[in-house]
Amino acid sequence: MQLSFSRRQMLSLLAGAGAATRIRPTSAATDAGLGATAAANGIVFGSAAGPVIEKDLAYRDLYKVHTRIVTTDVALKMGTIAPRPGPKQYSSADRLLQFCTQSKIPMRGHCLIWNEWVPAWIKSMSVEERRSFFDGYIDEVVGRYEGKLQSWDIVNEPFWPGHKAPGGYRVGPWYDAFGTDYVRRAFARAGQVDKTTKFVLNEAQTERDDDVGHAVRAGLLRLVDELKHAGVPLHAVGLQGHLQPRYPHDPARFIEFVHALADRKVDIYVTEFDVRDDTFPDDIPDRDAKVAEVAEKFLSDILRVPAVKMVITWELSDTYSFYTDAARKKDPSATRLPRPLPFDSDMRKKPLYFAMERAFRKSRRA
């Protein structure tokens, strides 16, 4: 995800603080943090982190307490590294890696190749220029972080049925340059450079039990088979987990799909977890309760599959959710702001926090 951030509205602050005081930890184990609770039950918990953690010290402290892995939010996206022709811009990623190293938290790279958020100057290249850039970019960026990351999202969101491309693929500059083979090429090229980092295929929308979700699931299973057959390094599949209650969700059919992925001998990461709350009531306690209910049911189901190794939220606090940023951009005076994450705008635990904690404990793997 990519969006800028601004500070909270006062009304949201007061409302969020009121809601946060209604829920209290019920045991000493809660104080150890989500990461510790998850680890005690055989799961790695973490979160994406944007550059804001360099400025918001209270937010940065949440990562130190609660996360056992950190995903780069925008720091390793092509729009950050290569916003214009010339030398690559690594400073943001290097600073986040330094924070993770000093805090003894592994870092995940997101994302190497994506048909979205590609700088305009690259889109204006000829096909041959794009092909050359693609190969050189992978060589340089993967080489720079060789052995320094826990995992890399090598290709992000290869499918979007709305583009009407054969096989349901997402179109864009890399699809235009190589066709669907850009996915295999990216994994193969990265594998020539880095032999130690886990390589991940990351995808959205699989939770939806509708035509879009079904098409993405089918495409993803087919693509995993093709990559395995091609012999490229594919270690895990990321299911983003942006839960959207506006769309239908059939738990049994979804878990059948998750098992089908696991049968292909890949680990499974929930890579961008949050709960969109725009269809829920305005009342904050009621809305927070519904978000928690949706999350706990989903996590309790998916964590029964042993191949699911990680749960990673997309940021930790509502203030820094991409949903919140989008809402503020749409209406700067909005008083109802999204609450999709485990901590509110004052960095206080919400019902979602405790729902996630319960789901981790129910998994009982360790």
Side-chain angles (χ1 to χ4, degrees):
M1 299 297 165
Q2 72 283 344
L3 289 171
S4 60
F5 304 99
S6 56
R7 296 304 296 168
R8 59 188 175 274
Q9 300 284 341
M10 181 58 70
L11 184 58
S12 176
L13 185 158
L14 294 173
T21 59
R22 290 176 170 82
I23 301 292
R24 286 288 182 264
T26 56
S27 70
T30 301
D31 298 329
L34 277 178
T37 300
N41 292 281
I43 302 154
V44 178
F45 171 76
S47 178
V52 69
I53 71 165
E54 299 175 30
K55 301 175 182 179
D56 190 329
L57 301 185
Y59 193 48
R60 183 168 66 192
D61 286 343
L62 283 187
Y63 286 82
K64 293 179 179 180
V65 172
H66 293 283
T67 65
R68 296 294 179 92
I69 196 160
V70 165
T71 298
T72 59
D73 186 328
V74 298
L76 282 175
K77 285 178 175 168
M78 192 174 288
T80 299
I81 292 177
R84 61 190 65 87
K88 307 294 192 300
Q89 307 296 312
Y90 294 111
S91 57
S92 182
D94 287 350
R95 287 194 301 270
L96 185 56
L97 181 60
Q98 182 180 33
F99 163 76
C100 289
T101 301
Q102 291 174 344
S103 304
K104 297 181 172 56
I105 304 172
M107 189 168 94
R108 297 187 67 246
H110 174 85
C111 52
L112 187 64
I113 296 296
W114 188 22
N115 268 307
E116 302 286 349
W117 208 37
V118 178
W121 71 275
I122 294 172
K123 292 180 181 179
S124 68
M125 292 177 176
S126 69
V127 168
E128 287 305 317
E129 287 171 333
R130 254 181 281 161
R131 288 174 177 170
S132 177
F133 179 86
F134 182 95
D135 290 344
Y137 181 85
I138 291 173
D139 291 349
E140 180 177 338
V141 177
V142 174
R144 182 181 180 88
Y145 296 100
E146 178 188 1
K148 297 177 182 178
L149 305 177
Q150 181 273 337
S151 57
W152 251 117
D153 290 337
I154 299 297
V155 173
N156 189 49
E157 297 180 6
F159 295 101
W160 180 242
H163 284 171
K164 307 300 182 182
Y169 276 85
R170 183 184 297 272
V171 301
W174 312 125
Y175 180 92
D176 292 345
F178 298 104
T180 62
D181 193 54
Y182 85 90
V183 181
R184 182 208 59 80
R185 189 181 186 93
F187 277 90
R189 191 101 192 175
Q192 292 172 2
V193 179
D194 189 339
K195 308 293 186 184
T196 60
T197 301
K198 293 182 181 297
F199 289 172
V200 184
L201 177 64
N202 197 49
E203 188 52 273
Q205 310 295 341
T206 63
E207 303 84 18
R208 293 171 57 168
D209 196 59
D210 58 9
D211 289 346
V212 169
H214 298 163
V216 173
R217 290 179 197 175
L220 194 57
L221 292 173
R222 184 176 62 250
L223 180 55
V224 169
D225 288 340
E226 291 170 358
L227 294 174
K228 288 284 190 177
H229 180 74
V232 300
L234 172 64
H235 305 102
V237 171
L239 305 180
Q240 290 182 9
H242 290 294
L243 304 186
Q244 302 176 78
R246 64 173 60 205
Y247 299 120
H249 174 72
D250 185 300
R253 278 204 290 255
F254 176 69
I255 294 303
E256 182 180 359
F257 158 73
V258 176
H259 278 294
L261 270 180
D263 288 344
R264 285 156 168 82
K265 309 302 180 187
V266 290
D267 287 342
I268 298 169
Y269 303 163
V270 179
T271 51
E272 304 184 21
F273 186 72
D274 53 23
V275 182
R276 187 168 181 171
D277 66 352
D278 58 340
T279 59
F280 293 152
D282 289 343
D283 178 72
I284 285 177
D286 191 6
R287 189 164 20 132
D288 283 354
K290 290 184 181 301
V291 165
E293 180 182 5
V294 167
E296 185 169 359
K297 181 65 169 67
F298 176 85
L299 290 176
S300 296
D301 288 341
I302 199 170
L303 290 176
R304 292 193 183 102
V305 182
V308 179
K309 308 294 187 184
M310 287 186 189
V311 175
I312 302 164
T313 55
W314 203 250
E315 300 290 335
L316 279 172
S317 165
D318 294 333
T319 295
Y320 300 118
S321 168
F322 77 102
Y323 287 128
T324 302
D325 185 76
R328 285 173 172 151
K329 285 183 175 179
K330 182 178 181 180
D331 180 5
S333 64
T335 56
R336 172 182 163 137
L337 293 173
R339 297 175 62 83
L341 290 165
F343 292 87
D344 71 7
S345 55
D346 278 332
M347 316 302 166
R348 296 182 182 181
K349 299 172 184 175
K350 293 164 47 194
L352 176 56
Y353 177 101
F354 302 106
M356 295 177 70
E357 188 177 58
R358 289 191 297 271
F360 291 151
R361 287 183 178 146
K362 288 176 188 174
S363 68
R364 302 186 188 280
R365 299 183 182 182

